[in-house]
Amino acid sequence: MERTLIILKPDAVQRGLCGEILSRFERKGLQVAGMKLMRIPRALAEKHYESHKGKGFYEGLLNFMTSSPVVVLALAGKDAIVIARKMMGATFGSKAEPGTIRGDYGVSNSFNLIHGSDSPEAAARELGLFFKSDELVDWTPANQVWVYDLSKGQPE
Ligand code: IDP
Ligand code: MG
C-alpha cells in the first residue's frame, strides 16, 4: 500500500468543507493513516513548497498556507498518490473538471482547497515533513476484504 500527503488548505477549513472532502476519500476506499489540525509554521511552508521558490505566486502561497489552520492527512491505498491527484482535479477551481474536489468546491485561481503529493518521492518527503513516524498508524480497515480483491495475496 502506498501513502500520500494531503493538506486540506486554510480555505477548506474556513469554509467547513473538511468533512465533505475527507468523506470522498473514505468512500473511494482510501484509508486514513494519519490526521491532524495544525497551523503551518512559516519555515515548514517554505520547506514544503521549496520547489516553487522564486515564482511570482510563492510569497502569496506561503501567506495563504500559514494564514489559518489546515488539516493534514496521510491517506493509504494501492496507487493512493495518483488516485488522490485525480480526485483533486486541475490546480484551480476555474479549470478543474466537475466531479473533482477542486472542480466541485472552488472557483478561485489562487485558493484551491487541497494539496496532494504528486510522486512517490514527493510523498515520502512531505509525509516526513508533516508527520512524526509515531503519528502514522498502520491498521487494517474491517472492510478491506471488500475494498480490494485479496484472493491472490496482493490487493487487486
Ligand atoms: P498543484 O497543487 O496542483 O500540484 P502546483 O503547480 O504544484 O499545483 O502549485 C502548488 C500550489 O501553488 C497550488 O496548489 C496553488 O496553491 C499555488 N499556485 C500555483 N500557481 C499559482 C498561481 O498562479 N497563483 C496563485 N497560486 C498558485
Ligand atoms: Mg504540485
Side-chain angles (χ1 to χ4, degrees), residues 14-86:
Q14 290 285 356
R15 292 176 57 201
L17 293 171
C18 294
E20 288 211 27
I21 295 171
L22 177 56
S23 179
R24 289 184 173 220
F25 290 124
E26 287 185 311
R27 281 183 282 151
K28 176 71 172 168
L30 295 178
Q31 176 192 359
V32 178
M35 174 158 59
K36 63 184 172 185
L37 180 80
M38 67 182 287
R39 184 87 178 245
I40 303 181
R42 184 105 188 162
L44 177 56
E46 285 173 4
K47 246 188 241 166
H48 175 65
Y49 281 123
E50 68 187 8
S51 67
H52 294 295
K53 196 167 178 185
K55 294 183 185 167
F57 61 83
Y58 179 71
E59 281 302 316
L61 175 61
L62 294 186
N63 290 339
F64 166 49
M65 292 300 291
T66 58
S67 63
S68 176
V70 301
V71 170
V72 281
L73 296 163
L75 295 182
K78 187 173 155 66
D79 302 321
I81 296 168
V82 166
I83 290 171
R85 291 282 299 188
K86 273 195 184 162

Side-chain angles (χ1 to χ4, degrees), residues 85-142:
R85 291 282 299 188
K86 273 195 184 162
M87 291 176 70
M88 288 161 50
T91 299
F92 298 119
S94 58
K95 301 263 165 59
E97 292 294 326
T100 65
I101 292 164
R102 286 164 166 173
D104 283 353
Y105 296 116
V107 292
S108 172
N109 288 320
S110 183
F111 295 168
N112 63 353
L113 297 160
I114 186 165
H115 166 83
S117 308
D118 64 6
S119 67
E121 297 71 33
R125 189 180 86 85
E126 294 171 0
L127 286 164
L129 287 176
F130 283 89
F131 287 102
K132 301 188 190 103
S133 56
D134 66 356
E135 291 176 325
L136 295 175
V137 181
D138 208 359
W139 62 286
T140 304

